[in-house]
Amino acid sequence: MGSWAEVQARFEPEFVWLGYMGCNGTHAVRMFPVAEFAAMVERDEQPSVMAGVISASRNHRLAPGRAPSGVLYLKPDWNSAWAHASGAVRRVEMMASWVDKAGEPAPECARSKLGSLDRAIRQEHRLAVLLGFEVEVVLQPDGSQSEDATLSMIEATVRALMAVGVPVRQFHAELAGHQWEFALGPGPPVDAVDRLVRARKVISDIARAHGAQATLHPRPVATDLGTGAHVHISATPVGQHEVGVPEGFFAGILRHLRAVAAFTLPLDVSYQRVGPGLWSGGHYVCWGWENREVPLRRISTARFEFKPLCPTANPYVALAALLAAGLDGLRSRLTLEPWVDCQHDPATLSEAVRLELGIHQCLPKTIEESLEALAQDDGLRETMGQDLAAAHVAVTREWNSHLRAMDEDKRHKFLLRNY
C-alpha cells in the first residue's frame, strides 16, 4: 500500500492509530476518527508531538539536560497498516517516523535511521539485509489454567498473529517455566521490527483475554533461564552482481559488540540473563558455527543469529546499532579471520586456547561498562548518528537511575508488569 486511499479502501476503518516509539521503547499511539485523519491527509498536514518524546524515560521525565521545547511530526508509513481484531470496531494502525516541519527525518528517529542504514548497505555493497525475530515470552497464568487451556491460548495467539500479517514459522515451549517462543518469518529491517512490535502487542492482548499476563522480563525467575529477543540476520547479494564478502558485515558487529551492548542490553537487569551456561550468547566476543554459547551463531555463509539482545531494548534502536556496526565493517573491509570458529563454550576454555581462537574481549557485565565502551567507540556513534546515540544514552542513564531507587522486590514486580 502506497497511499492513504489504498489503506482506506482495504480496511474501511472507523478509527486510525499512528504508532511511534521513543528511545525509552514504549509503543505510543495517537488516535483519530477516520474523517479527521482523512481531512489532515487532504490538507497535507501531519500530526505533531512534543520533541520531548525523544528523551523522555518511561516515568515521563526528561533526561537531565534535555529541553522541553520543540515539536516533531508523525509521518505515517502506509505499508505498515494493519487492522486490529477488535470485533465491531474497525481500527487500523500504522507505524510513523518522526520528521521536522520540512518533512526531513529527525536525526533522533531510530526507525528512520534503521531504514537509511539498510538502504546504505544495499546501495554501497549490494547486500540485502533480512531480520527474523524469535519472540520469547513468559505467560504467567492465573493459577487455574490446565495444559489444554494453555495450548488453546498459544494456538489462539498464533492464529491472531497470522491474521494481522505476522508470519509465524514455528512455535514451541521454551526451557523456563511458562516460557514460549514464536519464531517470526524474515523481512527487511524496518518491516521486521514493525512486525515484532505488532507481535508483542498481539501476544499480550491474547494472554490477557485468557487470564494470563505476558512478560518480557529478561530473568523473571532467578533460578530459571532467562528470556531473550534473539534475531537472525542475513546479508545476501542483491541480484547476480559480484559483491564484497558479506563476512565484513558480521565482523563489524564483533568489532563493535561491546559498544553495541549499550543499545541491546540497556538495563541493569539485562545483564542477569547473559552469561556462561545460560544459552544467552555467553560471556566473550566471538562467533561459532551452530554454537549457542557465543554471541554470533553462524547458521550459513551469510546468516547469523545474534543472541545478546534483551527484550527490554527498543528494537528500532538496537537494530540500528547492529546495522551501523555491520555497515562500518563492510566499509572497513573487515573479515572474520581475527576470530576463529569457536566450537565450545569459551568460558570453559583456558585463556591460552581462547587467545588461539582470537578471543580477546569479554562482553560488558554492566550497563555502565557498555556505556563506557560506547563513549570510546567514535566509529559506531558516527555511523549510527551522534544525536540518536546521545538521546539513547541520556534516556538509558535516567531510567536505570529511576529503577535503582526502588527496593529489589518492588523493582522486580514493576519490571514484570511493565515489560
Side-chain angles (χ1 to χ4, degrees):
M1 289 171 288
S3 68
W4 163 242
E6 292 178 76
V7 172
Q8 195 169 21
R10 177 176 176 182
F11 297 107
E12 298 182 341
E14 182 181 6
F15 298 103
V16 177
W17 287 21
L18 289 187
Y20 60 96
M21 187 173 288
C23 287
N24 63 32
T26 300
H27 177 205
V29 294
R30 284 293 177 92
M31 308 170 190
F32 308 86
V34 69
E36 290 296 326
F37 186 80
M40 292 179 71
V41 174
E42 181 67 23
R43 296 192 301 266
D44 197 23
E45 178 184 330
Q46 291 169 335
S48 64
V49 294
M50 68 171 187
V53 299
I54 293 170
S55 52
S57 70
R58 286 184 176 233
N59 63 348
H60 312 299
R61 293 188 177 184
L62 292 181
R66 295 281 160 164
S69 56
V71 64
L72 296 170
Y73 298 89
L74 300 178
K75 181 179 181 180
D77 183 347
W78 310 120
N79 289 313
S80 68
W82 62 286
H84 289 200
S86 50
V89 178
R90 300 187 310 280
R91 183 188 304 138
V92 66
E93 180 173 349
M94 294 166 282
M95 290 303 295
S97 298
W98 299 335
V99 297
D100 62 20
K101 195 169 185 178
E104 294 299 315
E108 300 91 349
C109 180
R111 190 175 185 274
S112 295
K113 176 58 68 173
L114 180 60
S116 68
L117 290 165
D118 179 35
R119 289 189 295 274
I121 291 167
R122 179 180 286 267
Q123 292 166 5
E124 295 178 25
H125 303 280
R126 301 293 296 171
L127 293 174
V129 175
L130 294 178
L131 307 177
F133 287 94
E134 298 175 0
V135 183
E136 289 183 356
V137 61
V138 170
L139 298 167
Q140 299 173 303
D142 63 6
S144 61
Q145 278 141 323
S146 65
E147 183 175 332
D148 284 345
T150 298
L151 288 173
S152 294
M153 175 175 64
I154 297 302
E155 290 167 348
T157 300
V158 173
R159 206 174 292 121
L161 290 170
M162 302 289 279
V164 298
V166 178
V168 179
R169 288 289 182 87
Q170 60 175 305
F171 56 101
H172 56 86
E174 264 290 359
L175 299 176
H178 306 294
Q179 187 182 54
W180 287 81
E181 178 182 303
F182 303 88
L184 308 186
V190 172
D191 182 49
V193 177
D194 285 349
R195 292 197 312 230
L196 173 66
V197 173
R198 190 185 315 171
R200 287 175 172 174
K201 172 177 169 42
V202 169
I203 291 167
S204 179
D205 288 347
I206 297 296
R208 192 178 304 111
H210 285 75
Q213 178 191 345
T215 182
L216 299 173
H217 190 299
R219 200 75 185 271
V221 179
T223 54
D224 255 340
L225 295 175
T227 296
H230 304 168
V231 59
H232 292 246
I233 309 174
S234 65
T236 55
V238 176
Q240 302 300 315
H241 299 272
E242 291 294 326
V243 296
V245 179
E247 275 193 0
F249 179 87
F250 300 102
I253 291 176
L254 287 177
R255 171 195 263 187
H256 296 287
L257 184 52
R258 285 177 52 79
V260 165
F263 303 98
T264 65
L265 302 171
L267 300 185
D268 290 329
V269 72
S270 303
Y271 297 82
Q272 295 178 15
R273 182 185 72 88
V274 293
L278 297 176
W279 306 108
S280 61
H283 189 54
Y284 292 91
V285 177
C286 57
W287 71 275
W289 277 98
E290 293 294 0
N291 186 348
R292 287 170 169 79
E293 280 291 355
V294 295
L296 273 180
R297 172 171 75 101
R298 193 168 197 170
I299 300 167
S300 67
T301 302
R303 177 182 164 200
F304 287 70
E305 178 190 22
F306 181 81
K307 299 179 77 69
L309 176 55
C310 183
T312 66
N314 177 323
Y316 296 100
V317 174
L319 270 298
L322 283 166
L323 263 64
L327 177 57
D328 182 70
L330 290 166
R331 288 172 173 171
S332 302
R333 300 181 181 274
L334 299 183
T335 72
L336 288 172
E337 288 181 3
W339 301 274
V340 180
D341 172 20
C342 180
Q343 284 297 295
H344 301 276
D345 180 349
T348 66
L349 303 176
S350 67
E351 183 177 359
V353 173
R354 285 197 294 268
L355 291 176
E356 289 177 5
L357 295 173
I359 302 173
H360 300 281
Q361 292 180 306
C362 292
L363 287 169
K365 298 181 181 67
T366 66
I367 182 57
E368 296 301 331
E369 191 178 341
S370 295
L371 291 171
E372 178 58 31
L374 177 62
Q376 297 176 13
D377 195 329
D378 296 337
L380 181 64
R381 296 197 320 277
E382 186 63 34
T383 306
M384 186 175 180
Q386 296 283 4
D387 291 325
L388 176 57
H392 170 81
V393 169
V395 171
T396 297
R397 290 194 185 280
E398 167 65 21
W399 187 230
N400 277 293
S401 176
H402 176 76
L403 293 173
R404 289 168 192 156
M406 302 179 187
D407 67 57
E408 185 174 352
D409 183 62
K410 181 180 178 181
R411 180 171 58 246
H412 183 72
K413 291 176 179 177
F414 178 86
L415 292 171
L416 283 173
R417 289 194 310 270
N418 286 274
Y419 284 94

